[in-house]
Amino acid sequence: MIPIVHLAIDPALAPQRPEITYTWRTLLTGMGYGWQELPWNASAVTIAYAADPLQVPSAQIVIHAQPERWTNPQQVRLIGHTQCHGYTLPRLEGDTPQAYPQVVNGSLHIVNDPIFAAFWLLSGYEEDQYPTLKHGYRDLSGSPMLTAGLLRRGLASAIGCWLTDMLQRCGLPHGLPRWPNGAMLAASCGHDVDYPEIVRWLEPLRILHRQGIRGLRAAFDVVRGRRNHWHFHSWMALEEQLGTRSAFYFVARQGSLLEYATGRPDPFYDVQAPHFRQLFRELSTAGWEIGLHASYLAYTDRSILAAERERLATSSGQPIEGNRHHYWHLNPCQPEQTLLLHEQVGFQYDASLTHNRYMGWRRSSTWPFFPWHRKLRRAVRTLQLPTGWMDDHLFGQKQYNPGERHGLLDELRDTVTEQGGLLLVDVHDYVYDDVLFPGWAATYRALWEDLAARGRVWFATPAAIARHWITRANQLAAVSTGLNEEAMNQPLSLKTSSQSI
């Protein structure tokens, strides 16, 4: 039986109800609890979310809301973190220092508003304060996310874990498990297919740029055709050995060298070519997922994104459930506009919200979640699978991620284990060859072997993880009442068709 949290929300918070409702649904879904929203004057309330903590119903837990923050989220700043019951929680400007939960008149009072903090992180207000660079990347230099390593701590999902701990201290049982078969965490890999076919005169220059004079022999091997990037079967053999399956994200739009040089860096291959069609058959027959790697400018137009999805579906003969954007290229000023396109086109999930330069979780959650759309004031119905690590973070972008690579990955693994989250990684298709890319594939293999040895890990494709999470979210919503949100109070559909809307 799914445990139910009886929740009352102060009517004084009505102007911000859509945002508050979204955040409670998101957290409780991640925590595994159903909910029953009660009137403000009800008795036997589990949690009262109060604008005025002196005027509250009888509740086991009273959370002090901060209406001024909900009204002006763009003015809030992250200044650091605090530790509470073993969890790393965000500290926002204006928070009361060392304000641990305290029992007052029989109720446990939480002074610093964790519900707003979770919303502020999940909806992207935290990243708004940072400069935008080329390709829409954010420069987090000097921020607490970098200086204190908070990107790798999953602050929003940590809030959910901490609230779970508070509820269990009040006598609630464990919630609905996040993952099947007794797994403590989930792990998945998506391979971005950028350069499966080498340009023989160009690739040696890239090798020398990466490796310097040490790459001279490898460069000659490429010129002579002794080394290449077509390593799909190598990845399949490795993952078969590990007992896992992954996704390969293909770009359906064929670019050119001229476009690349003039600022549209799409890959050069054609998914309609016979050898790609044969590859698709082999991948899908063996249980690997085929997903879309949306082209560099796909975020600018729904029709472009829909056409690319349809082209890949036609070429592969498979439904395309998931997407990740090439160069992580979302709308630089309004990422949620791109996330809304995913819903409109019909994707089950997207996995594009991460930082190109920095390891960790861009929206501070190790749990899947439905992103918030600020203008529409509702959740986007395409699930976001948060990507925590891209291979280049520890190689080409190493200067932004100082430290020993396996130690940094251990930190990600420990965070996901502690929070019962998802460790989704991005390892490019072309980095398998250890001579061309020393240590890249080996790092991925070592991480996956370590996870497998620890046990209680659900290895699955991103699409399987998304289907599971959506089914689980529907289970929780089915036993719940209240917290109604327009466009989210109907069961979420499991999309299996490649047809666009």
Side-chain angles (χ1 to χ4, degrees):
M1 181 177 293
I2 297 173
I4 302 295
V5 172
H6 297 93
L7 175 68
I9 298 176
D10 195 329
L13 297 168
Q16 284 73 47
R17 267 301 297 244
E19 289 78 7
I20 292 169
T21 291
Y22 161 77
T23 310
W24 274 111
R25 290 181 67 113
T26 300
L27 288 173
L28 290 169
T29 297
M31 294 158 65
Y33 290 114
W35 55 87
Q36 182 180 3
E37 187 177 1
L38 300 175
W40 187 240
N41 59 357
S43 58
V45 173
T46 313
I47 300 177
Y49 188 53
D52 182 357
L54 299 179
Q55 301 292 327
V56 295
S58 176
Q60 291 177 286
I61 298 174
V62 177
I63 298 178
H64 297 203
Q66 296 176 324
E68 68 283 356
R69 287 184 173 177
W70 287 106
T71 303
N72 298 295
Q74 67 279 358
Q75 296 181 7
V76 177
R77 294 292 180 268
L78 179 72
I79 60 173
H81 67 285
T82 185
Q83 295 292 132
C84 191
H85 298 124
Y87 295 104
T88 302
L89 304 177
R91 184 180 172 200
L92 304 182
E93 190 174 43
D95 278 351
T96 302
Q98 306 299 319
Y100 299 113
Q102 293 185 344
V103 176
V104 179
N105 297 326
S107 298
L108 185 68
H109 281 249
I110 298 173
V111 175
N112 293 328
D113 186 353
I115 308 307
F116 172 80
F119 170 77
W120 187 76
L121 292 164
L122 288 167
S123 56
Y125 283 100
E126 180 271 330
E127 68 188 42
D128 282 356
Q129 60 194 288
Y130 307 124
T132 302
L133 306 174
K134 185 179 180 181
H135 309 306
Y137 301 152
R138 298 284 179 166
D139 181 1
L140 273 58
S141 299
S143 70
M145 283 292 185
L146 283 190
T147 57
L150 299 184
L151 272 179
R152 299 190 294 274
R153 300 306 301 157
L155 298 179
S157 42
I159 289 171
C161 292
W162 177 68
L163 287 174
T164 300
D165 189 52
M166 296 297 102
L167 288 170
Q168 291 176 1
R169 287 169 185 249
C170 291
L172 261 72
H174 292 284
L176 184 68
R178 276 184 278 280
W179 310 115
N181 306 319
M184 293 178 59
L185 65 148
S188 189
C189 178
H191 301 283
D192 290 352
V193 182
D194 290 350
Y195 305 110
E197 299 172 314
I198 280 178
V199 179
R200 285 199 189 179
W201 65 265
L202 176 61
E203 191 58 30
L205 300 177
R206 288 159 51 88
I207 294 170
L208 294 174
H209 176 73
R210 288 194 308 270
Q211 299 187 27
I213 194 68
R214 293 174 298 173
L216 197 56
R217 182 174 178 179
F220 276 121
D221 284 347
V222 168
V223 171
R224 294 168 183 168
R226 295 177 179 174
R227 296 189 180 276
N228 60 69
H229 285 173
W230 192 270
H231 283 294
F232 297 100
H233 299 99
S234 303
W235 289 118
M236 291 171 72
L238 170 61
E239 290 167 353
E240 181 76 50
Q241 208 174 37
L242 296 171
T244 67
R245 295 291 187 273
S246 64
F248 287 91
Y249 298 110
F250 292 87
V251 180
R253 180 189 182 276
Q254 185 176 13
S256 69
L257 206 54
L258 177 60
E259 285 186 339
Y260 194 100
T262 54
R264 191 171 185 176
D266 289 330
F268 309 148
Y269 60 89
D270 180 6
V271 294
Q272 294 183 324
H275 59 293
F276 275 98
R277 290 179 180 267
Q278 174 62 31
L279 172 65
F280 295 145
R281 287 192 290 271
E282 293 175 13
L283 288 171
S284 58
T285 299
W288 271 259
E289 179 190 344
I290 297 168
L292 181 67
H293 201 29
S295 69
Y296 187 73
L297 294 181
Y299 80 89
T300 63
D301 193 315
R302 167 183 165 179
S303 63
I304 295 175
L305 186 61
E308 290 182 7
R309 183 179 185 230
E310 189 61 34
R311 190 170 193 260
L312 182 59
T314 300
S315 300
S316 66
Q318 297 294 314
I320 305 302
E321 299 182 54
N323 172 71
R324 181 185 281 147
H325 284 264
H326 188 43
Y327 275 70
W328 313 103
H329 202 208
L330 312 179
N331 185 313
C333 299
Q334 294 180 305
E336 64 267 26
Q337 291 299 97
T338 306
L339 304 181
L340 182 62
L341 293 184
H342 303 150
E343 172 190 300
Q344 293 171 342
V345 168
F347 283 110
Q348 183 107 303
Y349 77 88
D350 174 70
S352 302
L353 275 177
T354 197
H355 288 294
N356 180 71
R357 283 185 172 181
Y358 315 108
M359 291 179 67
W361 293 279
R362 178 173 172 177
R363 294 292 173 86
S364 294
S365 179
T366 69
W367 299 345
F369 64 97
F370 295 96
W372 178 250
H373 194 287
R374 298 183 196 175
K375 185 176 180 181
L376 298 180
R377 299 186 75 189
R378 69 167 177 86
V380 174
R381 291 175 64 86
T382 293
L383 188 69
Q384 186 64 213
L385 298 183
T387 303
W389 169 55
M390 173 181 66
D391 47 17
D392 196 45
H393 286 148
L394 297 176
F395 295 93
Q397 307 285 352
K398 183 172 175 54
Q399 67 270 35
Y400 303 112
N401 301 280
E404 194 272 327
R405 73 177 66 140
H406 294 292
L408 292 171
L409 288 174
D410 286 349
E411 187 177 353
L412 290 187
R413 178 205 64 206
D414 292 346
T415 296
V416 172
T417 301
E418 175 186 272
Q419 298 183 4
L422 163 65
L423 183 56
L424 175 61
V425 304
D426 174 13
V427 180
H428 288 79
D429 68 299
Y430 56 89
V431 304
Y432 186 87
D433 189 323
D434 194 58
V435 173
L436 301 183
F437 294 89
W440 291 53
T443 301
Y444 165 58
R445 176 171 190 153
L447 175 62
W448 249 227
E449 287 178 338
D450 175 72
L451 287 171
R454 290 169 179 265
R456 299 188 65 186
V457 179
W458 183 41
F459 291 101
T461 64
I465 288 169
R467 289 193 295 267
H468 166 78
W469 195 268
I470 291 170
T471 298
R472 179 178 172 276
N474 284 335
Q475 281 182 270
L476 291 164
V479 301
S480 301
T481 57
L483 294 182
N484 295 322
E485 180 184 324
E486 185 178 353
M488 287 299 289
N489 55 11
Q490 298 296 322
L492 298 161
S493 62
L494 288 169
K495 311 176 189 74
T496 56
S497 169
S498 63
Q499 187 175 11
S500 60
I501 295 173

